Amino acid sequence: MGFLSVLSFAHKLVGERLQPGDAAVDATAGTGADTLFLARVCGPRGRIFAFDIQAEALALTQARLLKEEPALLPAVTLLQQSHAEMAEALPGDIHGKLGAVMFNLGYLPAAGADPSLITQTSSTLHALDAALRLLRPRGILTAVLYPGHAGGDEEAAAVESWAAALPQAAAQAIVYRQPQKPAAPYLIAVEKKQQQ
């Protein structure tokens, strides 16, 4: 048996920290896999928010959610805006109380989607800062990085530098990566230690 994929490992780390009724964010809705995962874990009393700048991504996410039994899922708020606007877009009553924020960076992996439309380093770093502030103590942030596409390597390096520079009193960070495959996707996870 091999190691978990980066996506499965992100789900494992988040699933170990979230509780039913928690609030969580999918910062990059994409095809909705992380949104659905968060909704299932947080359950009907939870609150889920999913961001994407592409209407197509939110439509794919909505379609995925509609295939599920509605009574088992919370209300999911889909927001067609940048994850960099997360702090302004989320209700004030959940600031500092999020259980998890998940990022799956890169481009929308859907048929017909424009692969040149990618997440941008500057907005991603702004969103990561916001996400860390919005998390509760012991809340988790996960970022799946894709260095194998144009622009992805710079974004991955910037996110890794961001995580490495976090004060140890504020958060702890880990990297989950196959060193033999430098272009393969990898994961950075950050657990918040205290209020900032």
Side-chain angles (χ1 to χ4, degrees):
M1 187 168 121
F3 293 113
L4 291 174
S5 72
V6 291
L7 297 172
S8 295
F9 192 56
H11 286 188
K12 178 181 183 332
L13 292 173
V14 170
E16 290 172 349
R17 287 160 178 81
L18 280 180
Q19 301 294 321
D22 277 347
V25 169
D26 182 351
T28 50
T31 63
D34 289 339
T35 304
L36 178 57
F37 166 76
L38 292 170
R40 284 176 173 162
V41 174
C42 293
R45 294 181 298 112
R47 294 170 76 183
I48 307 299
F49 301 85
F51 290 82
D52 210 294
I53 60 169
Q54 296 183 73
E56 179 186 359
L58 296 177
L60 290 168
T61 299
Q62 183 67 37
R64 188 181 290 252
L65 293 168
L66 288 173
K67 292 178 183 173
E68 300 293 310
E69 175 59 47
L72 301 178
L73 299 181
V76 176
T77 303
L78 302 177
L79 299 153
Q80 188 177 349
Q81 57 193 114
S82 171
H83 52 210
E85 300 166 356
M86 188 185 313
E88 297 80 15
L90 293 177
D93 66 319
I94 61 171
H95 286 215
K97 297 178 182 172
L98 290 178
V101 180
M102 300 186 78
F103 292 79
N104 196 339
L105 302 171
Y107 56 86
L108 178 61
D114 181 357
S116 68
L117 188 56
I118 62 172
T119 51
Q120 299 296 312
T121 301
S122 60
S123 61
T124 295
L125 292 175
H126 186 78
L128 290 167
D129 284 336
L132 194 57
R133 287 191 310 273
L134 292 163
L135 286 172
R136 67 172 181 235
R138 297 210 69 241
I140 189 166
L141 177 160
T142 61
V144 176
L145 308 166
Y146 295 86
H149 69 83
D153 50 348
E154 292 108 14
E155 184 176 48
V159 171
E160 196 164 337
S161 294
W162 172 85
L166 291 171
Q168 288 187 8
Q172 63 178 342
I174 63 166
V175 178
Y176 182 70
R177 185 174 199 171
Q178 289 182 285
Q180 305 99 322
K181 296 181 179 181
Y186 67 103
L187 172 71
I188 291 181
V190 176
E191 184 181 62
K192 185 171 181 175
K193 285 190 174 176
Q194 63 185 27
Q195 289 297 111
Q196 292 186 339

